[in-house]
Amino acid sequence: SQQGEEDPQALSIQEGENATMNCSYKTSINNLQWYRQNSGRGLVHLILIRSNEREKHSGRLRVTLDTSKKSSSLLITASRAADTASYFCAASMDSSYKLIFGSGTRLLVRP
Amino acid sequence: DTEVTQTPKHLVMGMTNKKSLKCEQHMGHRAMYWYKQKAKKPPELMFVYSYEKLSINESVPSRFSPECPNSSLLNLHLHALQPEDSALYLCASNPSTGRNTEAFFGQGTRLTVV
């Protein structure tokens, strides 16, 4: 069963704009991870934020985590057409290597 | 070598066939996963192997049978599948050196059951 939900389900923006995606999860976690998937192929890991962290940056990516609200957000700044993909959050559960994915956001960046 | 390799890339099989999907990694990762993904849906966890032992089975039908012959290899044996089993099957591995490690995914096998 899915761990959580993401919103929006789809997002269309102009190149250069920022894109924000939100993720909610249901149970306690070790960490929250974000992945990108192009055209229904393999997933690529983007960033991991631990349960005791509140914010993390990697290049144009900024991730926040609010464990009290069981939610996370991914911000992509200065988007590029090449950022067009599906983005998924994934919750890593306590005491196991279980990794459960949220419903995903399909991002379209228009040139 | 930082890759997870899945073969075949595409597979078409009849409902009475028996086939196997293969996944290989040489990163020394000790946790390996099978996921199923339908179009426009998130990956859905099927199985997790930890140190070559099955640790999680997400109530997957017995027509899917996982096998982990060694620490580098993970198979998914398929038998008597249904058309609704058509999907992208993804394999992943995790270093499992701690709880805060990322998963590495293969490119998937696109399975069509006819």
Coordinates of all heavy atoms in Angstrom, one line a residue, chain A residues 1-2 30-31 33 35 37 39-43 45 48 50 88 92 95-103 106, chain B residues 9-10 31 33 35 37 41-43 45 50 56 58 88 90 96 98-103 105-108 110:
Chain A
S1 N 0.9 -1.2 0.0 CA 0.0 0.0 0.0 C 0.9 1.2 0.0 O 2.0 1.2 0.5 CB -0.9 0.0 1.2 OG -0.1 0.0 2.4
Q2 N 0.4 2.3 -0.6 CA 1.2 3.5 -0.7 C 1.3 4.2 0.7 O 0.4 4.2 1.5 CB 0.5 4.5 -1.6 CG 0.8 4.2 -3.1 CD 0.0 5.1 -4.0 OE1 -0.6 4.7 -4.9 NE2 0.0 6.4 -3.7
N30 N 12.5 6.9 9.0 CA 13.9 7.1 9.2 C 14.3 8.3 8.4 O 15.1 9.2 8.9 CB 14.8 6.0 8.7 CG 14.6 4.7 9.6 OD1 14.5 4.8 10.8 ND2 14.6 3.6 9.0
N31 N 13.9 8.4 7.2 CA 14.2 9.5 6.3 C 13.2 9.6 5.2 O 12.3 8.7 5.0 CB 15.6 9.3 5.7 CG 15.8 8.1 4.9 OD1 15.2 8.0 3.8 ND2 16.5 7.1 5.4
Q33 N 13.0 10.5 1.1 CA 13.8 10.6 -0.1 C 13.0 11.1 -1.3 O 11.8 10.8 -1.4 CB 14.4 9.2 -0.4 CG 15.2 8.6 0.7 CD 15.8 7.3 0.4 OE1 16.1 7.0 -0.7 NE2 15.9 6.4 1.4
Y35 N 12.9 11.1 -5.6 CA 13.4 10.5 -6.8 C 12.8 11.1 -8.0 O 11.7 11.7 -8.0 CB 13.1 9.0 -6.8 CG 13.9 8.2 -5.8 CD1 13.5 8.1 -4.5 CD2 15.0 7.5 -6.2 CE1 14.2 7.4 -3.5 CE2 15.7 6.7 -5.3 CZ 15.3 6.7 -4.0 OH 16.0 6.0 -3.0
Q37 N 11.9 10.3 -12.2 CA 11.8 9.3 -13.2 C 11.4 9.9 -14.5 O 10.5 10.7 -14.7 CB 10.7 8.3 -12.8 CG 10.5 7.1 -13.7 CD 9.5 6.1 -13.3 OE1 8.5 6.5 -12.8 NE2 9.8 4.8 -13.4
S39 N 10.2 9.3 -18.3 CA 9.5 8.4 -19.3 C 9.3 7.0 -18.9 O 9.6 6.1 -19.7 CB 10.3 8.4 -20.6 OG 10.5 9.7 -21.1
G40 N 8.9 6.8 -17.6 CA 8.6 5.4 -17.2 C 9.8 4.5 -17.1 O 9.6 3.3 -17.3
R41 N 11.0 5.0 -17.0 CA 12.2 4.1 -16.8 C 12.6 4.1 -15.4 O 11.8 4.3 -14.5 CB 13.3 4.6 -17.8 CG 12.9 4.5 -19.2 CD 12.3 3.2 -19.7 NE 13.2 2.1 -19.7 CZ 12.9 0.9 -20.1 NH1 11.7 0.6 -20.5 NH2 13.9 -0.1 -20.1
G42 N 13.9 3.9 -15.2 CA 14.4 3.8 -13.8 C 14.3 5.1 -13.0 O 14.3 6.2 -13.6
L43 N 14.3 5.0 -11.7 CA 14.3 6.1 -10.8 C 15.7 6.5 -10.5 O 16.5 5.7 -10.2 CB 13.5 5.8 -9.6 CG 12.0 5.7 -9.8 CD1 11.6 4.3 -10.1 CD2 11.2 6.3 -8.6
H45 N 17.9 8.8 -7.7 CA 17.8 9.4 -6.4 C 18.3 10.9 -6.5 O 19.3 11.2 -7.2 CB 18.7 8.7 -5.4 CG 18.7 9.2 -4.1 ND1 19.7 10.1 -3.6 CD2 17.9 9.1 -3.0 CE1 19.4 10.5 -2.4 NE2 18.3 9.8 -2.0
L48 N 18.1 13.0 0.0 CA 17.6 12.3 1.2 C 17.7 13.3 2.4 O 18.7 13.9 2.6 CB 18.5 11.1 1.5 CG 18.2 10.2 2.7 CD1 18.7 8.8 2.4 CD2 18.7 10.7 4.0
R50 N 17.0 13.3 6.6 CA 16.8 12.4 7.7 C 15.7 13.0 8.6 O 15.4 14.2 8.5 CB 18.1 12.4 8.5 CG 19.3 11.8 7.7 CD 20.5 11.7 8.6 NE 21.6 11.3 7.8 CZ 22.7 10.7 8.3 NH1 22.9 10.5 9.5 NH2 23.7 10.3 7.5
F88 N 8.9 11.7 -7.3 CA 8.3 10.9 -6.3 C 9.0 11.1 -5.0 O 10.3 11.1 -4.9 CB 8.4 9.4 -6.6 CG 7.6 8.9 -7.8 CD1 8.2 8.9 -9.1 CD2 6.2 8.6 -7.7 CE1 7.5 8.5 -10.2 CE2 5.5 8.2 -8.8 CZ 6.1 8.1 -10.1
S92 N 11.3 6.0 4.0 CA 12.1 4.9 4.5 C 11.6 4.6 5.9 O 11.7 5.5 6.8 CB 13.6 5.2 4.5 OG 14.3 4.2 5.1
S95 N 13.4 0.6 11.3 CA 13.9 -0.8 11.5 C 13.7 -1.7 10.3 O 13.7 -2.9 10.5 CB 13.2 -1.4 12.7 OG 11.8 -1.6 12.4
S96 N 13.7 -1.2 9.1 CA 13.6 -2.1 8.0 C 14.2 -1.3 6.8 O 14.4 -0.1 6.9 CB 12.2 -2.5 7.6 OG 11.5 -1.5 7.0
Y97 N 14.4 -1.9 5.7 CA 14.8 -1.2 4.5 C 13.6 -1.0 3.5 O 13.7 -0.7 2.4 CB 15.9 -2.0 3.7 CG 17.1 -2.1 4.6 CD1 17.4 -3.3 5.2 CD2 17.9 -1.0 4.8 CE1 18.5 -3.4 6.1 CE2 19.0 -1.1 5.6 CZ 19.3 -2.3 6.3 OH 20.4 -2.3 7.1
K98 N 12.4 -1.0 4.2 CA 11.2 -0.8 3.4 C 11.2 0.7 2.9 O 11.4 1.6 3.6 CB 10.0 -1.0 4.3 CG 8.7 -1.2 3.6 CD 7.6 -1.7 4.6 CE 6.3 -2.0 3.9 NZ 5.3 -2.7 4.8
L99 N 10.9 0.8 1.6 CA 10.9 2.2 1.0 C 9.6 2.3 0.2 O 9.4 1.5 -0.8 CB 12.1 2.3 0.0 CG 12.4 3.7 -0.6 CD1 12.7 4.7 0.6 CD2 13.5 3.6 -1.5
I100 N 8.7 3.1 0.7 CA 7.4 3.3 0.1 C 7.2 4.6 -0.6 O 7.5 5.6 0.0 CB 6.3 3.1 1.2 CG1 6.4 1.7 1.9 CG2 4.9 3.2 0.6 CD1 6.2 0.5 1.0
F101 N 6.7 4.6 -1.8 CA 6.6 5.8 -2.7 C 5.3 6.5 -2.5 O 4.2 5.8 -2.4 CB 6.9 5.4 -4.1 CG 8.3 5.1 -4.4 CD1 8.9 3.9 -4.1 CD2 9.1 6.2 -4.9 CE1 10.2 3.7 -4.4 CE2 10.4 5.9 -5.2 CZ 11.0 4.7 -4.9
G102 N 5.3 7.8 -2.6 CA 4.1 8.6 -2.8 C 3.6 8.5 -4.2 O 4.2 7.9 -5.1
S103 N 2.5 9.2 -4.4 CA 1.8 9.1 -5.7 C 2.4 9.8 -6.8 O 2.1 9.5 -8.0 CB 0.3 9.6 -5.5 OG 0.3 10.9 -4.9
R106 N 3.8 14.9 -11.8 CA 4.4 15.0 -13.1 C 4.6 16.5 -13.4 O 3.7 17.3 -13.5 CB 3.4 14.4 -14.2 CG 3.2 12.9 -14.0 CD 2.4 12.4 -15.2 NE 1.1 13.0 -15.4 CZ 0.0 12.8 -14.7 NH1 0.0 12.0 -13.7 NH2 -1.1 13.4 -15.0
Chain B
K9 N 15.1 -6.1 -21.1 CA 14.5 -4.8 -21.1 C 13.0 -4.8 -21.4 O 12.2 -4.1 -20.8 CB 15.1 -3.8 -22.0 CG 16.5 -3.4 -21.6 CD 17.1 -2.3 -22.5 CE 18.3 -1.6 -22.0 NZ 19.3 -2.6 -21.5
H10 N 12.6 -5.7 -22.3 CA 11.2 -5.9 -22.6 C 10.9 -7.4 -22.7 O 11.8 -8.2 -23.0 CB 11.0 -5.4 -24.1 CG 11.2 -3.9 -24.2 ND1 10.2 -3.0 -23.9 CD2 12.3 -3.2 -24.6 CE1 10.7 -1.8 -24.1 NE2 12.0 -1.9 -24.5
A31 N 20.8 -5.2 0.5 CA 19.4 -5.1 0.4 C 19.0 -5.0 -1.0 O 19.6 -4.1 -1.8 CB 18.8 -4.0 1.2
Y33 N 15.5 -5.1 -3.9 CA 14.0 -4.9 -3.9 C 13.5 -5.2 -5.3 O 14.1 -5.0 -6.3 CB 13.6 -3.4 -3.7 CG 14.2 -2.7 -2.5 CD1 15.5 -2.3 -2.5 CD2 13.4 -2.4 -1.4 CE1 16.1 -1.6 -1.4 CE2 13.9 -1.7 -0.3 CZ 15.2 -1.3 -0.3 OH 15.7 -0.6 0.8
Y35 N 10.0 -3.9 -7.4 CA 8.8 -3.1 -7.4 C 8.1 -3.3 -8.7 O 8.7 -3.6 -9.7 CB 9.2 -1.6 -7.4 CG 9.7 -1.0 -6.1 CD1 11.0 -1.2 -5.7 CD2 8.8 -0.4 -5.2 CE1 11.4 -0.6 -4.4 CE2 9.2 0.1 -4.0 CZ 10.5 0.0 -3.6 OH 10.9 0.5 -2.4
Q37 N 5.4 -1.3 -11.3 CA 4.8 0.1 -11.6 C 3.9 0.1 -12.8 O 4.4 -0.3 -13.9 CB 6.0 1.1 -11.8 CG 5.5 2.5 -11.9 CD 6.7 3.5 -12.1 OE1 7.7 3.1 -12.6 NE2 6.4 4.7 -11.7
K41 N 1.5 5.6 -12.4 CA 1.3 5.3 -10.9 C 2.7 5.2 -10.3 O 3.7 5.1 -11.0 CB 0.6 3.9 -10.8 CG -0.8 3.9 -11.3 CD -1.7 4.8 -10.4 CE -3.2 4.6 -10.8 NZ -4.0 5.5 -10.0
P42 N 2.8 5.3 -9.0 CA 4.1 5.1 -8.3 C 4.5 3.7 -8.3 O 3.7 2.8 -8.4 CB 3.8 5.7 -6.9 CG 2.4 5.4 -6.7 CD 1.7 5.6 -8.0
P43 N 5.8 3.5 -8.1 CA 6.3 2.1 -7.9 C 5.6 1.5 -6.6 O 5.5 2.2 -5.6 CB 7.8 2.2 -7.7 CG 8.1 3.6 -8.3 CD 6.9 4.4 -8.1
L45 N 5.9 -1.5 -3.9 CA 6.8 -2.5 -3.3 C 6.2 -3.9 -3.4 O 5.0 -4.2 -3.0 CB 7.1 -2.2 -1.9 CG 8.2 -3.1 -1.2 CD1 9.5 -3.0 -1.9 CD2 8.3 -2.7 0.3
S50 N 17.1 -8.9 2.4 CA 18.1 -8.3 3.2 C 19.1 -9.5 3.5 O 18.7 -10.5 4.1 CB 17.6 -7.7 4.5 OG 18.6 -7.3 5.3
I56 N 10.7 -8.9 3.4 CA 9.4 -8.3 3.2 C 8.7 -8.9 2.0 O 9.3 -9.0 0.9 CB 9.4 -6.8 3.1 CG1 10.0 -6.2 4.4 CG2 8.1 -6.2 2.8 CD1 10.2 -4.7 4.3
E58 N 5.1 -8.1 0.3 CA 3.9 -7.3 0.4 C 2.6 -8.0 -0.1 O 1.9 -7.5 -1.0 CB 4.1 -6.0 -0.3 CG 5.1 -5.1 0.4 CD 4.6 -4.4 1.6 OE1 4.0 -3.4 1.5 OE2 4.9 -4.9 2.7
L88 N 5.8 -2.2 -15.6 CA 7.2 -2.0 -15.5 C 7.7 -2.6 -14.2 O 7.2 -2.2 -13.1 CB 7.6 -0.6 -15.6 CG 9.1 -0.2 -15.6 CD1 9.8 -0.7 -16.8 CD2 9.3 1.3 -15.4
L90 N 10.7 -3.0 -11.6 CA 11.9 -2.3 -11.2 C 12.6 -3.1 -10.1 O 12.0 -3.5 -9.2 CB 11.6 -0.9 -10.8 CG 11.0 0.0 -11.8 CD1 10.4 1.2 -11.2 CD2 12.2 0.5 -12.7
S96 N 22.6 -0.7 2.7 CA 22.2 -1.3 4.0 C 23.3 -1.2 5.0 O 23.4 -2.0 5.9 CB 21.7 -2.7 3.8 OG 22.7 -3.6 3.5
G98 N 23.4 1.4 6.9 CA 22.7 2.2 7.9 C 21.3 2.4 7.4 O 21.0 1.9 6.3
R99 N 20.6 3.1 8.2 CA 19.2 3.3 7.7 C 19.1 4.5 6.8 O 18.1 4.6 6.1 CB 18.3 3.5 8.9 CG 18.2 2.3 9.8 CD 17.1 2.5 10.8 NE 17.1 1.3 11.7 CZ 17.0 1.4 13.0 NH1 16.8 2.5 13.6 NH2 17.0 0.3 13.7
N100 N 20.1 5.3 6.7 CA 19.9 6.5 5.9 C 20.8 6.5 4.7 O 21.7 7.2 4.5 CB 20.3 7.8 6.7 CG 19.3 8.1 7.8 OD1 18.1 8.2 7.5 ND2 19.7 8.1 9.1
T101 N 20.4 5.5 3.8 CA 21.1 5.3 2.6 C 20.0 5.2 1.5 O 18.9 4.8 1.7 CB 21.9 4.0 2.6 OG1 21.1 2.9 3.0 CG2 23.2 4.2 3.4
E102 N 20.5 5.7 0.3 CA 19.5 5.8 -0.8 C 19.5 4.4 -1.6 O 20.4 3.6 -1.5 CB 20.0 6.8 -1.8 CG 21.3 6.4 -2.6 CD 22.1 7.6 -3.0 OE1 22.5 8.4 -2.1 OE2 22.4 7.7 -4.2
A103 N 18.4 4.3 -2.4 CA 18.3 3.1 -3.2 C 18.8 3.4 -4.6 O 18.6 4.6 -5.1 CB 16.8 2.6 -3.2
F105 N 18.3 2.3 -8.6 CA 17.3 1.5 -9.4 C 17.9 1.1 -10.7 O 18.7 1.8 -11.3 CB 16.1 2.4 -9.6 CG 15.1 2.4 -8.5 CD1 15.4 3.2 -7.4 CD2 14.0 1.6 -8.5 CE1 14.5 3.2 -6.3 CE2 13.1 1.6 -7.4 CZ 13.4 2.4 -6.3
G106 N 17.5 0.0 -11.2 CA 17.7 -0.4 -12.6 C 16.7 0.3 -13.5 O 15.8 1.0 -13.0
Q107 N 16.9 0.1 -14.8 CA 16.0 0.7 -15.8 C 14.7 0.0 -16.0 O 13.8 0.5 -16.7 CB 16.8 0.8 -17.1 CG 17.9 1.8 -17.1 CD 17.4 3.2 -16.8 OE1 16.6 3.8 -17.5 NE2 17.9 3.7 -15.7
G108 N 14.6 -1.2 -15.4 CA 13.3 -1.9 -15.4 C 13.1 -2.8 -16.6 O 13.9 -2.8 -17.6
R110 N 10.0 -4.0 -19.0 CA 8.6 -3.7 -19.3 C 8.0 -5.1 -19.8 O 8.3 -5.6 -20.8 CB 8.5 -2.7 -20.4 CG 7.1 -2.2 -20.7 CD 7.0 -0.9 -21.4 NE 7.7 0.2 -20.8 CZ 7.2 0.9 -19.8 NH1 6.0 0.6 -19.3 NH2 7.9 1.9 -19.2

